[in-house]
Amino acid sequence: MIAIVDYEPKFIRAINTLGEEYLRCGFYDKARKEFARCIEISKVFVEPWINLGKTLNLLNKESEAIKAFVEATKKMRSKVTDRECFIGMG
């Protein structure tokens, strides 16, 4: 994964996946860095915001984690229209 990120440094899905792997291995500072890097590249990609929140929570930075989760929620809401909320409701 590191080779892919080195080859294509703005491939946000690869960067996010690398951060997830760091998170799974307990390398929280490295994970945080990769999620922040994703966010710098694309402010609208929601997954890194969620993963950043998880990481910050594990680092006992609860207030920062909440801010990341709130930002993720805002990003998700901006992608869904009112009409889409009612699809499949009859």
Side-chain angles (χ1 to χ4, degrees):
M1 189 56 62
I2 293 171
I4 293 170
V5 172
D6 287 342
Y7 179 75
E8 186 59 54
K10 292 195 184 239
F11 185 18
I12 57 173
R13 292 212 180 271
I15 298 167
N16 187 63
T17 301
L18 178 60
E20 289 173 335
E21 290 304 315
Y22 284 142
L23 183 61
R24 277 192 260 286
C25 293
F27 300 125
Y28 303 135
D29 288 323
K30 286 184 176 187
R32 180 182 182 183
K33 179 183 168 196
E34 297 305 329
F35 299 136
R37 185 172 159 196
C38 275
I39 291 165
E40 282 298 312
I41 295 168
S42 173
K43 303 273 190 229
V44 296
F45 187 39
V46 176
E47 282 183 60
W49 286 103
I50 294 168
N51 291 329
L52 179 61
K54 290 178 189 177
T55 305
L56 291 167
N57 188 50
L58 290 167
L59 289 168
N60 296 315
K61 297 178 183 269
E62 290 85 9
S63 62
E64 290 179 55
I66 290 169
K67 288 177 186 176
F69 288 131
V70 167
E71 195 61 37
T73 303
K74 287 178 186 176
K75 303 290 181 211
M76 286 187 279
R77 283 187 181 162
S78 69
K79 290 183 176 186
V80 178
T81 65
D82 289 338
R83 194 174 110 216
E84 290 172 316
C85 291
F86 295 104
I87 292 175
M89 294 185 71

